[in-house]
């Protein structure tokens, strides 16, 4: 199974488009109706009571046309089974037979769709006759018995026809499997067939002997073609001059258009801007050559010159030129050796120029090899010349690959606005190793297989390196373009993000989600197109690839369950589209109908919420139904789960449902700053059971979802990150309040992070005990930065007050003391004690004197630390 690049590329693209359009075509295609049956006789009509009031559709035998088609399809499968062994060594005949069997399969499916309604109608009529009478019951009426027998015969015939169709389909699929195996075996045998090494003199001596004969035959064909062209020389000259005029005119037009639009911004183009320019520059540069070649080919074909034997040579040369122009232009545009502002890869001019010439050389060798192959078929070139041609092409491939691998991928020393470009930070000849090491292995493998005599294998590796490499590089560039658009969609210079926010009024916070979804879908589409192209180049049949994709996308069976990824994917897309339409309808309803001046705010909110939930529920039901899931089975499962819910899963289900509400309604989303009770933090993760919050001290708080739904939650960043900050300050009663307010507003407006809309404000809040209390508020774009802004404003206010001579007073207090006499007594007592200690111990009293004065001699003396008697 040799690869045919141009035709197979086109075929693979058509297959991908057919897969994308298949569901829509299938839905729009009218269902086949069973042909009308001839009216039954009165004896064969069932009684009206048996039909339950509805007249059944008349049943018929197998229509003659359908029977003939079934017989023809069965005969075609018999013929294919007999011929498969005869053509097992011819890949082209096997491919033709595979195409015929595919057509047979399509007709089989069509006929089956016509027979099944007839069979179902006949069985419904039998059911309308009622059950057979019991063994001991009286027999049924003769008319009913005759009708039951006739309908049984109809059902038997239709069922037999349907089984014949199913058998034909099974036989056809078995033949397809055998053909695939034969083609793979033939491809492997041809690919790994070994001949003598082309270095042996035998090949060159034989090629020298065959070359004159081939040259003579080529000269004959060319001379014959020139003679035929000379008969219509005026037409040939007109075609050539028209093609030349078209080329010159379009070339100058494209150059003028490029110069007129070449106005790079001062800071250079980013990746998406360069990719957008390449989207139209590449086709524009291809247009002159392709238009000239199309005029030349069409004109020569119109003159009848392309139908001559020599026309095959001209067609092969023109095809090689077209391939070189298309791929070479893409390479020159992507690398842009003379225009760094347009280059997608961060390389120096010299590196880009050398790499581009190496790649264009590889493409030119590939195109020349294909052209020489076609010319060889036309000239019936001997095998010896084919070996020489393959050997020369392999050496050319290896030489160009070696030159490419020895080129250092040097990046620009000072990149200009290319932060999102493909960076290759290497300056040596062996790096990047992940790119050059596999290429070195393939280059050595091409040389080794060619020199050892595996010419087909070496040629195959070289051609697939060019073809698959082209597809992979093109897909990589497209993927980088997709990523540059989706991952910078929230930047101001992104045109897609600007259109979504301005035209469709998409909230900036939703741009990231839409970008992720768009990147996944576009990448999936890119892989769907690129993978078949690569598989085709590696020898896989387009029919096999189509069947693989049909099974993968449109259904495969696991047991008795049929899974259709395409329907599931389309169901998801349908759900997203319907939810988006619901949101648009809600916005229109809110802005145009439920305005506050027309409807009460509470009623408007209830209507809007009901519409939102109803739209989501309807979207889910339609999406599930389209995806092929039976809603009744879901209801049965839900009913079974209700038993377990009633026995103790209330809290789990409560949290689960609350989690679904959080994910759908999104009152709290990841990244929000919320306050729950006495805990404050940022939401880090929302699952169906609980929500994870990171507190201000970096601890993790796990809260059941039901608390967030049923409890009170303060969400500081629900609709936007904008928030308010406040600063309270006191000023002396001697200060001018108006001047204080002016200073506060000036400080707020001077801060760069304070928003001008809504504007900041300040008021005299209260007459405080010690000061005039002022209150100032302001708004910031990110409420998480409000604390830092408050600190900055307090510092600025303090400096401004000092400069203006405004005092921030301390707190003033009046202290009142109770029982002042008791305090004085306590103070006197302490003073007397300290004085007595300072004088030392008192002398003993004179007893004689004491007796003389009439005191009792046995009166005890007071202790030395006793307080003095009052009044003494």
């Amino acid at each position: 199974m040799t690869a045919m690049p141009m035709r197979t590329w086109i075929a693979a693209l058509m297959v991908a488009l057919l897969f994308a359009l298949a569901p829509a075509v299938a839905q729009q295609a009218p269902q086949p109706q069973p042909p009308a049956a001839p009216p039954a006789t009165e004896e064969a009509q069932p009684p009206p009571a048996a039909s339950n009031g509805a007249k059944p559709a008349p049943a018929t035998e197998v229509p003659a046309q359908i029977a003939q088609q079934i017989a023809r399809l069965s005969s075609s499968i018999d013929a294919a089974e007999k011929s498969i062994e005869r053509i097992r060594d011819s890949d082209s005949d096997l491919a033709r037979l595979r195409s015929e069997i595919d057509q047979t399969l399509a007709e089989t499916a069509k006929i089956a769709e016509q027979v099944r309604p007839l069979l179902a109608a006949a069985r419904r009529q039998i059911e309308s006759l009622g059950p057979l009478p019991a063994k001991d019951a009286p027999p049924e009426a003769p008319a009913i018995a005759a009708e039951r027998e006739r309908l049984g015969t109809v059902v038997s015939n239709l069922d037999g026809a349907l089984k014949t169709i199913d058998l034909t389909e099974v036989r056809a699929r078995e033949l397809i499997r055998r053909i695939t195996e034969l083609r793979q075996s033939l491809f492997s045998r041809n690919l790994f067939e070994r001949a003598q090494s082309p270095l042996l003199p035998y090949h060159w001596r034989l090629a020298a002997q065959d070359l004159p004969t081939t040259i003579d035959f080529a000269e004959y064909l060319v001379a014959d073609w020139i003679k035929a062209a000379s008969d219509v020389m005026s037409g040939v000259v007109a075609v050539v001059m028209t093609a030349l005029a078209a080329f010159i005119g379009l070339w100058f037009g494209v150059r003028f258009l490029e110069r007129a639009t070449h106005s790079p911004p001062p800071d250079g183009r980013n990746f998406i801007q360069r990719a957008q320019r390449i989207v139209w520059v590449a086709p524009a540069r291809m247009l002159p050559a392709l238009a000239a070649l199309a005029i030349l080919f069409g004109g020569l074909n119109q003159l009848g010159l392309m139908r001559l034997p020599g026309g095959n040579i001209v067609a092969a040369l023109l095809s090689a030129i077209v391939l070189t122009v298309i791929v070479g232009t893409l390479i020159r545009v992507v690398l842009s050796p003379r225009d760094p502002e347009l280059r997608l890869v961060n390389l120096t001019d010299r590196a880009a120029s050398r790499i581009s010439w190496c790649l264009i050389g590889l493409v030119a060798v590939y195109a020349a090899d294909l052209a020489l192959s076609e010319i060889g078929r036309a000239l019936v070139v001997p095998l010896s010349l084919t070996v020489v041609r393959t050997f020369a092409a392999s050496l050319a491939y290896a030489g160009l690959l070696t030159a490419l691998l020895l080129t250092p991928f040097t990046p620009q020393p000072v990149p200009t606005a290319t932060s999102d470009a493909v960076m290759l930070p290497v300056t040596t000849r062996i790096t990047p190793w992940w790119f050059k090491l596999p290429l070195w292995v393939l280059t050595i493998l091409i040389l080794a297989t060619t020199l050892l005599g595996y010419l087909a294998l070496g040629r195959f590796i070289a051609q697939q390196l060019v073809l698959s490499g082209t597809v992979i590089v093109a897909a990589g560039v497209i993927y980088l373009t997709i990523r540059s658009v989706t991952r910078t969609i929230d930047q101001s210079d992104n045109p897609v993000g600007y259109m979504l926010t301005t035209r469709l009024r998409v909230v900036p916070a939703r741009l990231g989600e839409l970008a992720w979804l768009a990147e996944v879908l576009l990448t999936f589409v890119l892989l769907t197109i690129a993978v078949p192209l690569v598989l085709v180049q590696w020898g896989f049949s387009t029919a096999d690839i189509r069947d693989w994709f049909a099974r993968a996308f449109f259904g495969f069976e696991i047991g008795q369950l049929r899974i259709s990824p395409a329907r599931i994917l389309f169901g998801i897309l349908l759900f997203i589209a319907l939810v988006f339409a619901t949101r648009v309808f809600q916005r229109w309803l809110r802005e145009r109908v439920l305005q506050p001046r027309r409807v009460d705010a509470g009623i408007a909110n209830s209507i809007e919420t009901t519409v939102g939930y109803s739209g989501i529920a309807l979207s889910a039901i339609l999406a599930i139904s389209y995806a092929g899931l039976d809603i009744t089975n879901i209801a049965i499962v839900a009913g079974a789960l209700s038993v377990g819910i009633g026995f103790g899963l209330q809290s789990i289900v409560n949290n689960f449902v609350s989690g679904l509400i959080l994910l759908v309604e999104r009152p709290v989303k990841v990244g929000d700053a919320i306050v729950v009770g006495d805990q404050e933090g940022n939401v880090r993760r929302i699952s169906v059971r609980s929500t994870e919050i990171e507190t201000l001290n970096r601890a993790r708080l796990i809260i059941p979802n039901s608390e967030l739904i049923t409890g009170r939650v303060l969400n500081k960043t629900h609709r936007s990150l904008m928030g308010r900050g406040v600063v309270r300050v006191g000023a002396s009663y001697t200060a001018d309040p108006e001047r204080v307010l002016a200073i506060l507003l000036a400080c707020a407006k001077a801060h760069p992070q304070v928003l001008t809309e809504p504007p900041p404000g300040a008021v005299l809040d209260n007459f405080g005990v010690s000061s005039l209390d002022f209150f100032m508020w302001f708004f910031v774009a990110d409420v998480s930065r409000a604390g830092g802004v408050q600190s900055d404003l307090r510092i600025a206010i303090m400096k401004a007050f000092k400069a203006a001579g405004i005092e921030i007073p301390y707190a003033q207090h009046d202290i009142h003391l109770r029982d002042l006499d008791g305090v004085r007594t306590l103070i006197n007592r302490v003073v007397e004690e300290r004085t007595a200690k300072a004088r030392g111990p008192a002398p003993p009293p004179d007893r004689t004197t004491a007796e003389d004065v009439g005191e009792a001699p046995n009166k005890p003396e007071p202790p030395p630390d006793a307080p003095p008697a009052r009044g003494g």
Side-chain angles (χ1 to χ4, degrees):
M1 293 183 291
T2 57
M4 296 180 291
M6 296 300 295
R7 292 192 294 271
T8 51
W9 284 12
I10 297 174
L13 288 175
M14 294 179 65
V15 169
L17 292 175
L18 288 175
F19 285 159
L21 298 176
V25 174
Q27 290 181 359
Q28 295 178 2
Q31 296 295 331
Q33 299 294 333
T41 59
E42 293 182 359
E43 295 180 355
Q45 295 292 335
S51 62
N52 296 327
K55 186 177 180 180
T60 65
E61 299 284 346
V62 180
Q65 183 180 2
I66 295 179
Q68 293 175 1
Q69 291 178 351
I70 295 174
R72 179 177 57 82
L73 295 177
S74 180
S75 299
S76 65
I77 295 298
D78 293 338
E81 288 178 343
K82 295 177 181 179
S83 63
I84 191 172
E85 296 297 333
R86 178 172 48 84
I87 61 174
R88 62 183 305 161
D89 293 331
S90 175
D91 184 73
S92 58
D93 292 338
L94 289 174
R96 177 184 53 80
L97 184 61
R98 167 66 189 270
S99 177
E100 294 176 356
I101 295 176
D102 287 339
Q103 184 177 2
T104 301
L105 272 178
E107 294 180 2
T108 301
K110 184 177 180 180
I111 296 175
E113 291 297 326
Q114 296 177 1
V115 173
R116 287 192 181 96
L118 298 177
L119 181 61
R123 287 175 174 172
R124 285 196 301 268
Q125 292 189 27
I126 291 178
E127 293 177 357
S128 66
L129 296 178
L132 289 171
K135 183 177 181 179
D136 299 333
E140 57 185 357
I144 297 178
E147 180 65 14
R148 188 187 299 278
E149 182 179 1
R150 186 187 71 84
L151 290 176
T153 304
V154 170
V155 169
S156 177
N157 294 335
L158 291 174
D159 188 62
L162 191 59
K163 290 181 178 179
T164 303
I165 294 172
D166 294 338
L167 179 61
T168 303
E169 180 181 358
V170 171
R171 293 172 63 192
R173 295 194 180 278
E174 180 64 21
L175 282 177
I176 289 176
R177 186 187 64 80
R178 290 183 59 190
I179 291 174
T180 301
E181 293 177 353
L182 288 175
R183 295 187 70 187
Q184 291 176 354
S185 175
L186 182 62
F187 175 75
S188 301
R189 186 171 68 250
N190 294 334
L191 188 62
F192 292 97
E193 183 179 2
R194 183 181 180 184
Q196 293 182 352
S197 174
L199 295 178
L200 297 177
Y202 166 77
H203 290 288
W204 300 95
R205 189 166 51 248
L206 189 60
Q209 295 175 2
D210 296 334
L211 184 60
T213 304
T214 303
I215 292 177
D216 292 340
F217 187 56
E219 289 178 350
Y220 168 76
L221 291 179
V222 172
D224 183 68
W225 190 86
I226 292 176
K227 181 180 178 180
S230 62
D231 296 338
V232 288
M233 184 56 65
S234 59
V236 173
V237 173
V239 170
V240 173
M241 295 303 295
T242 304
L244 184 61
F247 177 81
I248 295 174
L250 291 174
W251 188 84
F252 279 105
V254 170
R255 292 300 179 185
F256 175 77
L257 183 62
E258 286 191 34
R259 292 191 186 97
T261 57
H262 186 73
S263 56
D267 55 348
R269 291 188 178 96
N270 55 26
F271 187 87
I272 183 174
Q273 291 172 339
R274 293 194 299 273
Q276 288 173 348
R277 183 172 174 83
I278 286 177
V279 167
W280 72 267
V281 168
R285 291 185 181 179
M286 298 176 193
L287 183 61
L290 294 181
L293 291 172
I295 293 173
L296 189 62
F297 183 87
L300 296 178
N301 187 42
Q302 190 68 25
L303 294 173
L305 298 177
M306 303 303 296
R307 292 185 290 272
L308 298 174
N312 296 333
I313 300 176
V314 178
L317 294 175
L318 292 178
S319 300
I321 296 174
V322 169
L323 178 61
T324 306
V325 167
I326 293 176
V327 183
T329 303
L330 285 175
I331 292 172
R332 296 288 293 181
V333 171
V334 171
L335 294 177
S336 297
R338 298 180 181 180
D339 189 3
E341 291 294 334
L342 196 62
R343 192 176 305 150
L344 289 182
V345 183
N346 185 26
L347 294 172
T348 60
D349 295 346
R350 183 177 180 180
S353 177
R354 187 171 177 179
I355 292 173
S356 64
W357 283 118
C358 291
L359 294 177
I360 293 174
L362 287 172
V363 175
V365 171
Y366 173 76
D369 189 21
L370 286 182
L372 292 176
S373 298
E374 294 295 331
I375 294 172
R377 294 189 184 95
L379 299 178
V380 194
V381 173
L383 179 61
S384 59
L385 294 179
T386 302
V387 171
V388 172
R389 173 184 57 81
T390 304
F391 178 67
S394 298
L395 290 181
Y397 283 127
L400 290 170
L401 284 173
T402 303
L404 174 65
L405 295 174
L406 292 178
T407 301
F409 291 1
T410 308
Q412 289 282 4
V414 181
T416 57
T418 56
S419 58
D420 56 344
V422 183
M423 302 299 295
L424 298 175
V426 293
T427 56
T428 62
R429 295 180 183 270
I430 61 174
T431 51
W433 62 268
W434 56 267
F435 176 76
K436 290 190 174 182
L437 182 59
L439 289 183
W440 276 117
V441 173
L442 292 176
T443 303
I444 296 173
L445 190 60
I446 291 172
L447 287 175
T449 53
T450 303
L451 296 178
L452 291 176
Y454 295 97
L455 299 177
L457 180 59
R459 182 173 182 264
F460 177 79
I461 295 174
Q463 289 185 346
Q464 300 317 312
L465 182 61
V466 175
L467 294 176
S468 302
T470 301
V471 174
I472 293 173
V473 171
V477 172
I478 296 174
Y479 172 72
L480 291 174
T481 305
I482 294 172
R483 192 176 66 175
S484 65
V485 174
T486 56
R487 298 191 181 184
T488 60
I489 197 170
D490 55 346
Q491 297 181 5
S492 59
D493 58 346
N494 190 293
V496 179
Y498 178 78
M499 181 191 67
L500 291 175
T501 53
T502 56
R503 300 289 181 85
L504 301 180
R505 298 181 181 180
V506 178
V507 180
R510 298 288 185 269
L511 288 178
E513 301 173 2
L514 293 177
W516 177 84
L517 180 62
E519 181 176 345
V520 171
L521 292 178
L522 293 176
T523 304
F524 177 77
V525 173
L526 178 61
L527 291 176
T528 304
I529 297 175
V531 170
L533 290 177
V534 174
L535 292 178
V536 166
Q537 302 311 317
W538 282 91
F540 292 95
S541 172
T542 55
D544 293 334
I545 297 174
R546 183 193 60 205
D547 291 342
W548 295 341
F549 272 76
R551 295 191 193 101
F553 286 98
F554 299 108
F556 56 91
E557 294 183 357
I558 299 178
Q560 297 182 350
L561 178 62
R562 184 173 182 83
I563 299 176
S564 176
R567 294 182 66 88
I568 295 175
L569 178 61
F570 292 150
I572 295 174
L573 295 178
L574 177 64
F575 176 76
I576 295 174
L578 292 176
V579 170
F580 181 77
T582 301
R583 297 305 185 194
V584 172
F585 179 73
Q586 277 185 289
R587 181 179 300 170
W588 173 84
L589 195 67
R590 179 176 61 253
E591 296 178 354
R592 300 297 180 87
V593 179
L594 302 177
Q595 294 182 355
R597 64 176 182 270
R598 298 181 181 178
V599 183
D600 181 72
I603 298 177
N605 181 70
S606 300
I607 294 175
E608 181 183 355
T609 305
T610 303
V611 169
Y613 282 119
S614 302
I616 293 175
L618 181 62
S619 303
I621 293 174
L622 293 178
I624 292 173
S625 300
Y626 185 83
L629 299 179
D630 192 357
I631 301 179
T632 57
N633 294 335
I634 299 177
I636 294 173
V637 173
L641 288 177
S642 62
V643 178
I645 294 173
F647 279 103
L649 299 179
Q650 297 93 336
S651 60
I652 296 177
V653 174
N654 186 15
N655 291 322
F656 177 78
V657 175
S658 300
L660 296 180
I661 295 175
L662 287 177
L663 295 175
V664 174
E665 187 180 353
R666 305 190 71 184
V668 175
K669 56 184 180 296
V670 175
D672 284 351
I674 66 174
V675 179
V676 180
D678 58 347
Q679 297 291 336
E680 179 179 358
N682 296 322
V683 179
R684 294 306 181 197
R685 182 173 177 269
I686 298 177
S687 61
V688 294
R689 192 198 66 84
S690 62
T691 299
E692 183 178 329
I693 299 175
E694 183 181 6
T695 61
L696 300 180
N697 57 358
R698 301 297 180 181
R700 298 287 176 165
L701 178 64
I702 309 299
I703 299 178
N705 290 329
S706 58
E707 295 186 11
L708 297 178
I709 295 298
T710 60
R712 300 179 62 182
V713 180
L714 175 62
N715 193 335
K716 296 183 178 180
T717 58
H718 179 47
R719 296 297 180 184
S720 66
L721 296 178
M722 186 178 68
R724 191 182 78 156
V726 297
V727 174
R728 300 179 184 273
V729 64
S732 174
Y733 273 93
T734 60
D736 185 4
E738 296 180 352
R739 187 178 181 186
V740 173
L741 292 175
I743 292 174
L744 294 177
L745 291 177
C747 292
K749 294 177 180 179
H751 198 282
Q753 296 185 18
V754 174
L755 300 178
T756 57
E757 185 64 33
V763 295
L764 177 59
D765 186 43
N766 193 14
F767 294 101
V769 177
S770 305
S771 62
L772 296 174
D773 296 335
F774 291 90
F775 177 83
M776 182 185 70
W777 65 89
F778 59 90
F779 294 90
V780 291
D782 190 352
V783 71
S784 62
R785 301 181 180 179
V789 176
Q790 287 175 340
S791 177
D792 296 340
L793 290 178
R794 290 190 180 100
I795 295 174
I797 290 170
M798 186 174 183
K799 292 180 179 179
F801 277 12
K802 287 184 178 180
I806 299 175
E807 178 186 0
I808 300 178
Y810 295 104
Q812 299 178 6
H813 302 283
D814 292 336
I815 300 176
H816 301 278
L817 300 178
R818 298 181 179 179
D819 195 7
L820 188 56
D821 294 338
V823 174
R824 290 176 180 174
T825 302
L826 181 60
I827 293 174
N828 292 334
R829 182 177 177 182
V830 172
V831 171
E832 291 177 357
E833 289 178 355
R834 291 182 178 179
T835 303
K837 288 182 179 180
R839 292 179 179 177
D846 189 357
R847 295 183 180 273
T848 304
T849 307
E851 293 177 356
D852 291 340
V853 293
E855 291 183 0
N858 56 353
K859 183 177 183 180
E861 296 181 359
D865 56 349
R870 292 182 178 273

